[in-house]
Amino acid sequence: GLERDPRAIAWRGGQRLIRCFEPLSSGTTPAPWPSPGGCVVSGGTGGLALMLAETLAAEGRVALALLSRSGRVTGEAHDTALRQQKLDALHAAGVRLKLYACDVTDRASLAATLARIRQELGPITAVVHNAGVPDGAFLANSERSVTAYAEGLATKVTGTCLLDELTAGDPLQAFGLAGALTALTSAPGHAAYT
């Protein structure tokens, strides 16, 4: 576990600190999810977004605006088929959702997309930023440029900043950021993704 992982230990001010995680008690009340309204989900056609979609839709009270660079499900054939099946099942279950093509690192594109979402789905009450560009390349790899690393990191960092800035006037009740477990445990080649 992480309690034995040397990367999770720090020495500060003469004190040894060990990172550990405690489960929430069963009596913990989760924060209420915004309802009604619209939830903007970046990385919206990815596996995590589609896995969470039904919960984010709050039994149909929240419309989902699923953002992806292409505005459709793409990727490896088998994975794409599974994600498309999940999307079809969400539609069949009555989840109100719409796909939007948008690069969250492009201010003009994101601003225009958010304006369309407000017009088509109503007020934006939640944002869940899932977008990320995994590349699996090592930063020190001579085949990888700093530019490629920065582009991968921009999806997380610039995307977060722009979503925050461009929804500042919306009646937001939730703003969630998704990351990977590798942000805590590390994984070779995934620094920009986490």
Side-chain angles (χ1 to χ4, degrees):
L2 287 175
E3 67 278 357
R4 297 198 175 275
D5 184 342
R7 293 171 291 181
I9 298 173
W11 186 265
R12 293 193 182 117
Q15 187 176 13
R16 182 177 185 233
L17 304 173
I18 302 173
R19 176 176 52 201
C20 62
F21 298 95
E22 300 290 331
L24 292 175
S25 68
S26 60
T28 303
T29 304
W33 187 245
S35 176
C39 178
V40 173
V41 183
S42 68
T45 59
L48 178 61
L50 294 176
M51 182 178 72
L52 296 173
E54 198 166 356
T55 300
L56 297 175
E59 298 176 351
R61 295 184 307 271
V62 177
L64 301 180
L66 304 180
L67 279 56
S68 71
R69 286 183 304 260
S70 67
R72 56 189 169 80
V73 178
T74 61
E76 298 292 323
H78 178 70
D79 182 52
T80 298
L82 291 175
R83 288 185 287 122
Q84 186 61 55
Q85 287 173 3
K86 179 63 176 172
L87 197 57
D88 294 342
L90 290 166
H91 275 294
V95 173
R96 294 180 304 138
L97 61 88
K98 186 161 183 179
L99 298 175
Y100 294 87
C102 179
D103 179 347
V104 295
T105 66
D106 180 329
R107 176 187 301 277
S109 173
L110 183 57
T113 301
L114 293 173
R116 278 186 54 211
I117 292 167
R118 292 179 192 104
Q119 183 178 36
E120 295 171 3
L121 301 179
I124 297 170
T125 56
V127 172
V128 177
H129 184 34
N130 287 321
V133 181
D135 66 357
F138 292 99
L139 182 58
N141 187 337
S142 61
E143 297 175 14
R144 181 180 183 166
S145 69
V146 172
T147 302
Y149 177 77
E151 288 170 358
L153 194 58
T155 304
K156 292 289 188 193
V157 178
T158 304
T160 298
C161 293
L162 289 176
L163 282 163
D164 179 49
E165 176 188 327
L166 296 173
T167 59
D170 290 293
L172 284 184
Q173 299 170 33
F175 193 106
L177 303 174
L181 182 60
T182 57
L184 300 174
T185 62
S186 79
H190 290 283
Y193 183 62
T194 58

